[in-house]
Amino acid sequence: MQDIKTQTDLDFLVRNFYKKLLSDEAISYIFTDVVKVNLEHHFPILVTFWSQAILGTGGYTNNLTQIHLDVNAKEYLSPQLFSIWINHFNASVDENFKGENCEKIKTQALSLATILQIKIAKENQ
Ligand code: HEM
């Protein structure tokens, strides 16, 4: 297995990850009902986001926290949902890639999940 090296790899990863999210009814409703995410619009944004984080390219300028606070205002993003999200993300990485960037992307995902949960907990106080 190869490491995550290119935006094509990231595109493959995010599509594989979303297949898992959307086939798990414990979390899929967030993407299909709460926010009706247009996947073909969403995937390139996710690729740009992870490319900036992992491959050192730029280009992501949105406010990730505010976007998730807005989702949370519609439907509570519970610790259980974050745990499901992280499990599918890690599984997608580990089933398809191996190497330094894989460890980097999983660490980043976990630390962002932690930060988002802290902000959501504050917002919901
Ligand atoms: C419970 C866990 C999570 C759920 C249910 C969730 C759900 C969503 C939804 C519904 C959107 C689309 C929002 C919209 O277009 O209005 C979104 C966008 C996004 N999410 Fe999450 N998310 C979760 C955790 C995370 C984490 C931990 C990360 C990063 C490590 C992340 C990264 C992103 C990115 C990069 C976008 C695109 C934002 C943009 O349009 O600029 N998400 N998420």
Side-chain angles (χ1 to χ4, degrees), residues 43-110:
F43 287 144
I45 298 173
L46 295 179
V47 170
T48 303
F49 173 81
W50 285 118
S51 178
Q52 172 157 302
I54 299 307
L55 305 177
T57 57
Y60 185 80
T61 52
N62 296 342
N63 184 336
L64 188 71
T65 300
Q66 193 55 53
I67 286 168
H68 290 85
L69 288 178
D70 291 348
V71 179
N72 176 67
K74 293 181 188 151
E75 184 76 21
Y76 175 45
L77 294 180
S78 63
Q80 288 77 3
L81 284 173
F82 273 95
S83 153
I84 292 167
W85 190 102
I86 281 289
N87 285 341
H88 287 314
F89 189 81
N90 289 345
S92 283
V93 174
D94 291 338
E95 284 165 15
N96 295 292
F97 299 97
K98 191 170 174 58
E100 254 178 57
N101 280 343
C102 293
E103 298 315 307
K104 198 168 155 187
I105 204 166
K106 287 186 287 180
T107 304
Q108 284 257 5
L110 183 58

